[in-house]
Amino acid sequence: MDRNLALELVRVTETAALASGRFMGRGDKNGADGAAVEGMRMAFGTVKVRGEVVIGEGELDEAPMLYIGEKVGCGTQEDMEVDIAVDPIEGTTLIAKGLPNVISVVAMAQKGCLLNAPDTYMKKIIVGPRAKGCIDIDAPVEENVRNVAKALNKDISDVTVIIQDRERHSDIISSIRKLGARIRMFGDGDVAAGIATCFENTGVDMLLGIGGAPEGVITAAAVKCMGGDMQCRLNPMSEEEMNRCYEMGFTDEKIKRTLYLDDLAKGDDVFFAATGITDGDLLKGVVHYGKNMIKTHSVVMRSKTGTIRFVDAVHRLDKNEIIKHLMEKYGKK
């Protein structure tokens, strides 16, 4: 794939972040999400690919834009066919409350390379590059933490595990506390938490727990680009979720199977881009200064080269027709 697609994807997440940034703290998560979806969909119209959304906002009857199966991109027959995974706002509840770590994310790979995951729960364990090969989703929590500590040359008491603050994780939390490792809790935002394991300056060493399967695929794209490691397993928690798995072709055997990075995001050329909407551990949020200037902070990665770029951008509203339209529509809400 053309390496310039990396910057094209950043423009997509930037546009979603710009459209939704004005909703921070206004208590309107649906309004914020709608603005981000519209911005992202409009920006995709400028990207020279023939894309199909495999992870999106839901089925056609549930989502007017960026639904699963929707074709995106402005590409001709000569352009490459690609899979697209999107989360226009990761953390809609967070942005409604004005809380940190809200991001807009996109992953892209060649056609057939991103898992079309059902909208169900998924058990996950994620670590950064230095602990690659040291995790086993079937091993006890204590064994995994010890192995990661050894790989990182850390005392167990210095290992930090990030876990979503949910009742379903009470046993994991209890085991880690008894072991003596550190725990960092988060409310929403599976993707941001998973990516944090691959950046040493976050202080996060591993992620454990059960989160969304679609978010797992997007996270896998970033983890693969950064050389980390990830193991997952679908974990439907209701009859409805089991039926979703069956409807998407997952048999009981496939549901129980361990999924590795190459099962979630295969191929040698995977892209990932994210833009901060509110300030977070990895990215700064959208900053408005003056009537015509907005600043964004993004990260873009490519697995083929292992390149990770942070992009600071200043946007002139009067120079970009898409952004100008979105600001006029949502800027005074």
Side-chain angles (χ1 to χ4, degrees):
M1 289 193 283
D2 187 343
R3 64 181 182 178
N4 292 326
L5 287 173
L7 289 180
E8 294 295 327
L9 285 189
V10 168
R11 293 187 181 99
V12 171
T13 55
E14 284 175 344
T15 306
L18 289 166
S20 59
R22 294 285 178 90
F23 285 85
M24 185 179 74
R26 294 183 174 177
D28 185 3
K29 66 178 184 179
N30 292 331
D33 190 52
V37 170
E38 182 177 357
M40 183 171 280
R41 183 63 178 83
M42 293 179 71
F44 262 123
T46 68
V47 181
K48 293 182 179 180
V49 295
R50 288 186 290 153
E52 180 176 341
V53 177
V54 297
I55 300 291
E57 291 292 284
E59 301 297 335
L60 174 59
D61 58 348
E62 300 172 358
M65 290 184 287
L66 298 178
Y67 56 83
I68 297 171
E70 183 177 359
K71 307 298 183 182
V72 296
C74 67
T76 65
Q77 289 300 312
E78 289 74 32
D79 290 312
M80 181 170 289
E81 291 186 276
V82 296
D83 287 344
I84 302 289
V86 304
D87 197 346
I89 293 185
E90 205 225 358
T92 54
T93 299
L94 297 179
I95 192 173
K97 294 180 178 180
L99 295 173
N101 287 314
V102 183
I103 58 176
S104 176
V105 293
V106 169
M108 183 175 70
Q110 294 177 351
K111 186 174 176 61
C113 288
L114 294 182
L115 179 69
N116 192 350
D119 187 10
T120 182
Y121 281 101
M122 174 183 274
K123 184 179 180 181
K124 309 171 189 177
I125 178 170
I126 307 173
V127 293
R130 290 173 57 202
K132 186 174 183 177
C134 296
I135 55 175
D136 181 354
I137 198 169
D138 292 317
V141 169
E142 296 88 347
E143 182 178 331
N144 276 305
V145 175
R146 289 191 182 99
N147 288 340
V148 169
K150 183 177 180 181
L152 298 178
N153 194 28
K154 286 185 174 185
D155 292 333
I156 288 177
S157 59
D158 292 328
V159 172
T160 301
V161 185
I162 192 166
I163 305 172
Q164 192 170 22
D165 187 9
R166 297 291 187 269
E167 181 62 31
R168 61 180 177 269
H169 295 143
S170 58
D171 289 343
I172 296 175
I173 293 169
S174 177
S175 296
I176 295 173
R177 284 174 175 168
K178 289 179 181 177
L179 190 62
R182 291 155 39 99
I183 295 175
R184 179 172 172 180
M185 310 288 278
F186 70 97
D188 294 296
D190 277 35
V191 178
I195 295 172
T197 63
C198 295
F199 287 98
E200 292 192 18
N201 62 345
T202 64
V204 174
D205 298 309
M206 64 188 302
L207 177 145
L208 287 170
I210 298 171
E215 291 84 354
V217 175
I218 298 174
T219 304
V223 172
K224 183 167 187 172
C225 290
M226 291 185 286
D229 202 2
M230 180 174 181
Q231 293 183 18
C232 304
R233 182 175 295 124
L234 292 178
N235 196 89
M237 300 178 72
S238 67
E239 183 178 351
E240 180 183 1
E241 290 189 8
M242 285 294 293
N243 289 334
R244 288 177 192 163
C245 295
Y246 295 146
E247 289 169 2
M248 298 185 73
F250 287 84
T251 63
D252 288 335
E253 182 179 354
K254 287 183 178 180
I255 292 172
K256 296 176 182 178
R257 184 166 66 91
T258 298
L259 298 171
Y260 301 91
L261 269 181
D262 283 343
D263 296 311
L264 300 166
K266 62 184 178 182
D268 63 354
D269 211 357
V270 177
F271 289 85
F272 173 89
T275 299
I277 301 176
T278 64
D279 286 347
D281 297 326
L282 298 176
L283 299 169
K284 297 177 182 177
V286 175
V287 176
H288 300 259
Y289 58 98
K291 292 184 177 181
N292 195 42
M293 309 288 279
I294 304 179
K295 188 173 183 178
T296 57
H297 188 218
S298 306
V299 63
V300 60
M301 315 171 189
R302 187 184 185 191
S303 66
K304 186 174 183 177
T305 60
T307 305
I308 302 170
R309 287 186 173 90
F310 287 92
V311 181
D312 285 322
V314 176
H315 306 268
R316 285 274 303 272
L317 304 188
D318 59 347
K319 296 290 186 179
N320 185 308
E321 290 301 319
I322 292 177
I323 295 174
K324 183 179 179 181
H325 163 78
L326 293 168
M327 290 299 101
E328 289 176 349
K329 183 173 181 179
Y330 295 108
K332 296 181 180 180
K333 292 292 183 182

